[in-house]
């Protein structure tokens, strides 16, 4: 069994064939999926999905690219949603210095607010980091993010930084890029970081794994991520599936089906 720990089934890209996408995931033995909401529209869609499907869970938060749009009312709403039994984390939050829609200081302020919110509601945090590793690590340390722990989503950094994150009570999640031929860092992380700290994800509809790179991604393809990790570690796919599923169920507290 596989668990896709980060998927956007609430994205417009699935508007015409969502049920077929879900069916293909189940047929591929992807039995649980965590749907990420990161603004008003996607959070609302995520909550509808987890009400409809017993094997879907939600993470709710505000994406750093859109930090400038987030209001106190939005944060209050996220805090209220955190009480829902199918909400298993806060995020995706963090910093994104690639896009310039939201100024860095606005992103950092919202990042800190969401870490504190997660501590208040006692849920782990899911981290988005693009071109901002130094500031992400600094803020996580300053805000004592180890108190909730979290996930470094679609991790693309170094082994050394991964170990820093693990020391702060974080899991390392690998996605499609680990299958790319030129993805040196993710392959090193998959090889060197022990299985007990690894999760797998798709970030679908984005970042489809090889040989589907550039096409729409979907949760069924998380199996290709597991296959590459198995190849790099010299173990079986079944071992990767068992370990990452156990890790995800423990991390999100979703051992038993809810609803």
């Amino acid at each position: 069994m596989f668990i896709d720990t980060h998927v956007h089934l609430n994205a417009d890209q699935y508007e015409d064939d969502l049920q077929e996408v879900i069916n293909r995931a189940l047929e591929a033995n992807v039995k649980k999926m965590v749907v990420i909401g990161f603004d008003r529209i996607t959070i609302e869609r995520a909550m509808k999905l987890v009400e409809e499907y017993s094997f879907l869970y939600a993470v709710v938060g505000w994406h750093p690219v859109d930090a400038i749009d987030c209001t106190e009312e939005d944060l209050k709403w996220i805090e209220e949603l955190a009480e829902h039994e199918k909400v298993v984390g806060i995020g995706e939050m963090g910093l994104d210095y690639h896009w310039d829609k939201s100024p860095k200081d606005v992103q950092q302020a919202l990042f800190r607010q969401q870490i504190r919110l997660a501590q208040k509601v006692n849920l782990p945090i899911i981290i988005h980091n693009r071109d901002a590793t130094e500031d992400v690590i600094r803020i996580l340390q300053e805000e004592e993010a180890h108190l909730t722990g979290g996930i470094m989503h679609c991790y693309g950094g170094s082994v050394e930084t991964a170990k820093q994150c693990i020391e702060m009570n974080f899991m390392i999640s690998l996605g499609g890029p680990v299958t790319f031929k030129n993805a040196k860092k993710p392959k090193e992380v998959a090889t060197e970081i022990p299985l007990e700290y690894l999760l797998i994800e798709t970030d679908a509809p984005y970042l489809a794994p090889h040989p589907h790179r550039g096409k729409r991604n979907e949760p069924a393809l998380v199996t290709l991520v597991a296959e590459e990790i198995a190849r790099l570690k010299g173990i079986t796919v079944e071992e990767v599936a068992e370990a990452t599923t156990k890790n995800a169920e423990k991390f999100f507290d979703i051992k038993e089906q809810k609803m």
Side-chain angles (χ1 to χ4, degrees):
M1 182 175 109
F2 303 89
I3 297 179
D4 186 349
T5 61
H6 194 112
V7 60
H8 300 282
L9 291 174
N10 44 357
D12 291 341
Q13 288 91 327
Y14 300 120
E15 191 174 1
D16 296 330
D17 64 345
L18 178 62
Q19 189 58 56
E20 290 89 339
V21 168
I22 289 173
N23 290 346
R24 283 194 292 271
L26 297 175
E27 287 164 11
N29 222 21
V30 182
K31 298 300 187 185
K32 296 176 186 176
M33 293 158 257
V34 181
V35 181
I36 312 298
F38 55 82
D39 59 17
R40 274 271 167 184
I41 293 172
T42 58
I43 290 172
E44 288 171 356
R45 289 177 180 174
M47 296 309 297
K48 286 180 182 177
L49 285 170
V50 301
E51 294 282 358
E52 187 174 351
Y53 296 95
S54 64
F55 48 85
L56 297 184
Y57 300 85
V59 165
V60 296
W62 212 270
H63 198 286
V65 169
D66 301 313
I68 200 165
D69 300 323
C70 188
T71 67
E72 288 298 324
E73 185 183 343
D74 291 323
L75 289 173
K76 191 173 188 307
W77 177 53
I78 289 167
E79 184 177 334
E80 291 167 357
L81 289 176
E83 298 178 14
H84 193 289
E85 67 171 352
K86 299 291 288 295
V87 171
V88 294
I90 304 297
E92 63 188 273
M93 67 175 76
L95 302 175
D96 191 314
Y97 293 169
H98 179 77
W99 305 107
D100 60 3
K101 177 184 174 182
S102 296
K104 290 180 181 179
D105 61 331
V106 174
Q107 290 190 40
Q108 291 180 18
L110 180 61
F111 187 16
R112 291 180 188 276
Q113 284 179 292
Q114 290 190 89
I115 295 171
R116 293 168 191 171
L117 188 160
Q119 290 167 345
K120 186 176 179 181
V121 299
N122 195 30
L123 284 175
I125 58 179
I126 285 66
I127 303 302
H128 172 102
N129 167 28
R130 190 167 186 187
D131 301 339
T133 299
E134 189 175 319
D135 284 350
V136 166
I137 298 299
R138 176 177 57 80
I139 290 171
L140 290 175
Q141 290 172 337
E142 289 174 357
E143 295 295 334
E144 299 186 310
H146 67 275
L147 295 174
T148 61
I151 297 173
M152 303 308 289
H153 140 65
C154 207
Y155 185 76
S158 67
V159 171
E160 292 71 29
T161 301
K163 289 177 179 177
Q164 264 188 296
C165 296
I166 289 167
E167 287 174 5
M168 287 191 288
N169 197 22
F170 276 72
M171 301 293 287
I172 306 299
S173 184
L174 295 172
V178 76
T179 69
F180 300 167
K181 291 177 182 177
N182 59 349
K184 185 183 175 191
K185 284 185 178 180
K187 289 184 190 297
E188 288 175 349
V189 167
T191 303
E192 296 190 36
I193 297 300
L195 260 181
E196 64 190 286
Y197 301 113
L198 294 181
L199 298 171
I200 55 176
E201 64 168 271
T202 57
D203 199 22
Y206 317 107
L207 297 175
H210 178 80
H212 305 278
R213 189 173 183 177
K215 300 176 183 176
R216 186 188 72 168
N217 199 3
E218 58 180 75
L221 300 182
V222 79
T223 56
L224 297 177
V225 176
E227 286 173 11
E228 179 63 7
I229 294 171
R231 185 188 72 80
L232 290 164
K233 285 190 172 296
I235 59 179
T236 66
V237 178
E238 288 75 19
E239 286 176 277
V240 174
E242 182 180 359
T244 56
T245 293
K246 180 181 175 183
N247 292 345
E249 288 180 333
K250 180 181 178 183
F251 178 86
F252 287 119
D253 191 21
I254 54 174
K255 183 72 175 170
E256 301 299 323
Q257 291 283 16
K258 296 178 180 178
M259 292 182 69

